[in-house]
Amino acid sequence: MNFLGNIIWFLLGGFLTAMMYFISGLAMCITIIGIPFGVQIIKLGVLALWPFGKEVKTNPTSGCLTTGFNVLWIILGWWEIALTHLVFGAILCITIIGIPLGTQHFKLAKYSLFPFGCTIR
């Protein structure tokens, strides 16, 4: 079922979403200061490419550097990614067929709000 969900996701916009993440992640990696943020955006792109069958785990023992980067992430305006995923998830959950895709958008929104200190499995 994960394979079929990933194929449907890929065809209905997952590829475009992942490409936007990859392009913006590479653009952030141009400067040394932007490299940690670019790496997190690229991780979001990998998750956005094939989200079914993957889970996001939060490390509860992450330090103050992780918290600082998450705060800086929100201040710099990357919270808009999470808001976009929430809107798309709500729109997709209107129909029964779109509910699995909407739940994946909610998973992406959770990870894109506080990406530092999370791992994808």
Side-chain angles (χ1 to χ4, degrees), residues 19-30:
M19 285 299 111
M20 288 190 299
Y21 280 133
F22 292 145
I23 290 169
S24 62
L26 289 175
M28 287 296 292
C29 286
I30 290 174

Side-chain angles (χ1 to χ4, degrees), residues 59-101:
N59 185 4
T61 61
S62 59
C64 62
L65 188 62
T66 301
T67 305
F69 274 151
N70 280 330
V71 169
L72 192 58
W73 178 272
I74 291 173
I75 289 173
L76 291 176
W78 291 105
W79 57 270
E80 295 171 352
I81 298 171
L83 184 64
T84 304
H85 283 299
L86 286 175
V87 169
F88 285 153
I91 290 171
L92 284 169
C93 284
I94 292 173
T95 64
I96 293 174
I97 296 171
I99 289 174
L101 300 176

